[in-house]
Amino acid sequence: MDVQRKLEILADAAKYDASCASSGTEQRDSRDGKGLGSTAPGMGICHSYAPDGRCISLLKILLTNACNYDCLYCVNRASSNVPRARFTVDEVVQLTLDFYRRNYIEGLFLSSGIIRSADYTMEQVVSVARTLRERHHFRGYIHLKTIPEADDALIAEAGKYADRLSINIEMPEEASLAKFAPEKDVRAIRRTMGRLRLKLDEAKQARKDEVRLKVKAPRFAPAGQSTQMIVGADPASDQTILNMSANLYGSYNLKRVYYSAFSPIPDASRALPLRAPPLMREHRLYQADWLMRFYGFDVGEIVEDTQGMLPLDIDPKLAWALRHPDHFPLDVNRASREELLRVPGFGAKAVDRIIAARRVTSIRMSDLARLHVPRNKALPFIVLSDHRPPPHLLDSTRLVERFRPKATQLGFGF
């Protein structure tokens, strides 16, 4: 099988893994004439987006889609009838270098099915990163998928070469993982996450001591670790998923939890749903995740529905505001940062701009556009120097309808 055909198979097989944003790592480049590549923004094959909105391109592939495991939700499971392929280490290295030189990518996202053993597979994955870094002095971004059952020394070596490591938790409930992926052990996954956190904490402390001790700190995955959960393959509610995310952030100091809407696969097990969940559900989970990480919300505040589900027609912050009219209207010129972060339409950066601006002037309606605040969304909830919403507005059910998307006529699909 030639490399182009392998690339077709193994790039397509990697598309189900959503956790490939290349944000948060250290800045490197080769402007000094040494090495190859950088971690600067670019555009190309697999488009991911950093928290600041930058578009990032990665070569996103599997080393192989052959796998010993038979996870029911995975198209590459052992019992799946799909074409199989496998790259050699040198082929992945050469593809990465060729694509980078053509300005198609700025980095590599590499995962793999489990072949022979976890240690053998992890050694192959680490070998790609080692060859790129040491033989070709590649300075671009590298994200490696970590295999939980692999030897601790291999995990440590992966962190030496990779910018980010990730281990997929896969399912929000242990019972679901046991049902759909019986070869996987959630305790092994969590143990590896814990070991990664210890190594990351040690590397962070070493960087702090670097200047004082005048000893160069060892490098270990400067962009941290991440994970992914599949949404909609099991009956877990949004509240269950977000509770798991909150636990993972708190226990392992993850950089990101990614949510991947389940996609029906060929020859699927009867235990799996026949239809994919709405993609809007995945989007709402990301919005709720942002509220937990950057806006000071608890899971219990975000999800108050008795079924534990987020509304699909409005975003979770707006849903919270509509359920709590007693918190509004809020005086933008006097409210604290924590209170402003709960106003619909106010992003974290917009709130910082508002606080900076109100030190020297009183915020008026005309200032909202300059501060990048969507007026229509925010005005019912705020008081400004020249604006106060009608008292009855927040008590009216018409306010809910105002923000719901307008009904549209369905087409025939042709």
Side-chain angles (χ1 to χ4, degrees), residues 85 88 106 123 129 139 141 158-159 172 214-215 259 274 304 306 345 351 354-356 369 372 374 390 399 403:
T88 66
E106 62 171 297
E123 168 56 34
R139 298 187 180 182
Y141 181 86
K214 297 182 180 180
V215 176
Y259 307 95
L274 296 176
E304 292 185 4
T306 55
V351 167
I354 287 170
I355 292 173
H372 304 289
L399 184 59
F403 293 110

Side-chain angles (χ1 to χ4, degrees), residues 24-333:
T25 189
E26 60 194 1
Q27 294 297 310
R28 300 186 301 274
D29 59 57
S30 51
R31 287 180 293 182
D32 58 1
K34 299 176 182 178
L36 174 73
S38 72
T39 52
M43 34 187 319
I45 293 175
C46 169
H47 293 101
S48 301
Y49 293 89
D52 60 3
R54 292 182 298 114
C55 181
I56 302 205
S57 59
L58 300 173
L59 174 60
K60 182 181 176 184
I61 54 174
L62 299 183
L63 186 67
T64 178
N65 65 338
C67 191
N68 298 338
Y69 292 177
D70 201 33
C71 306
L72 300 184
Y73 50 77
C74 181
V75 71
N76 301 310
R77 66 194 185 280
S79 60
S80 180
N81 185 24
V82 295
R84 306 288 181 174
R86 177 183 173 184
F87 281 126
T88 66
V89 169
D90 288 340
E91 285 173 339
V92 177
V93 169
Q94 196 58 49
L95 276 172
T96 305
L97 297 176
D98 288 347
F99 275 63
Y100 188 88
R101 290 188 176 108
R102 288 170 173 79
N103 199 31
Y104 293 162
I105 61 168
E106 62 171 297
L108 171 68
F109 175 94
L110 183 62
S111 183
S112 181
I114 310 299
I115 50 173
R116 295 194 190 177
S117 68
D119 283 349
Y120 175 81
T121 307
M122 194 70 214
E123 168 56 34
Q124 295 293 295
V125 169
V126 170
S127 183
V128 171
R130 184 195 307 118
T131 304
L132 282 168
R133 295 292 195 213
E134 294 187 348
R135 187 185 304 169
H136 299 281
H137 307 288
F138 181 70
R139 298 187 180 182
Y141 181 86
I142 296 178
H143 180 158
L144 298 181
K145 275 290 174 184
T146 305
I147 299 167
E149 295 81 4
D151 186 84
D152 196 44
L154 289 169
I155 305 289
E157 190 175 10
K160 178 181 176 182
Y161 301 114
D163 293 279
R164 174 169 289 180
L165 299 175
S166 56
I167 309 168
N168 286 353
I169 198 76
E170 304 289 14
M171 292 288 175
E173 295 181 313
E174 185 174 349
S176 296
L177 189 67
K179 177 181 178 181
F180 293 113
E183 293 95 346
K184 292 188 175 179
D185 182 358
V186 70
R187 287 176 291 277
I189 294 172
R190 284 183 169 272
R191 278 197 302 271
T192 305
M193 283 183 169
R195 289 199 295 266
L196 284 178
R197 174 169 187 173
L198 287 175
K199 294 180 187 302
L200 288 165
D201 289 346
E202 289 170 1
K204 183 178 179 180
Q205 185 59 47
R207 287 194 297 272
K208 290 180 180 179
D209 297 338
E210 196 172 36
V211 176
R212 179 173 60 86
L213 300 176
K214 297 182 180 180
V215 176
K216 186 171 179 59
R219 184 182 187 279
F220 189 86
Q225 65 169 317
S226 62
T227 193
Q228 173 177 295
M229 274 190 283
I230 299 170
V231 177
D234 69 346
S237 66
D238 293 340
Q239 186 166 29
T240 300
I241 293 170
L242 292 172
N243 277 327
M244 169 63 84
S245 296
N247 177 273
L248 292 171
Y249 282 126
S251 300
Y252 307 110
N253 197 24
L254 297 186
K255 289 292 185 181
R256 288 287 300 273
V257 174
Y258 291 86
Y259 307 95
S260 178
F262 168 71
S263 179
I265 55 178
D267 303 320
S269 165
R270 291 182 180 180
L272 293 169
L274 296 176
R275 297 181 62 184
L279 282 177
M280 183 55 71
R281 184 183 177 193
E282 177 186 300
H283 180 59
R284 296 298 183 215
L285 284 168
Y286 276 114
Q287 290 177 320
D289 185 279
W290 235 247
L291 293 183
M292 292 192 301
R293 295 166 62 206
F294 303 115
Y295 291 80
F297 282 79
D298 292 324
V299 176
E301 296 178 284
I302 299 170
V303 187
E304 292 185 4
D305 181 84
T306 55
Q307 303 299 317
M309 301 299 288
L310 296 167
L312 298 180
D313 52 352
I314 54 177
D315 71 77
K317 189 205 270 193
L318 178 57
W320 179 88
L322 293 173
R323 292 194 304 266
H324 297 85
D326 52 302
H327 286 67
F328 304 100
L330 202 64
D331 189 338
V332 171
N333 289 293

Side-chain angles (χ1 to χ4, degrees), residues 1-9 87-88 91-92 95:
M1 188 181 292
D2 62 27
V3 173
Q4 183 172 345
R5 178 58 180 153
K6 290 181 183 180
L7 184 60
E8 290 174 2
I9 294 171
F87 281 126
T88 66
E91 285 173 339
V92 177
L95 276 172

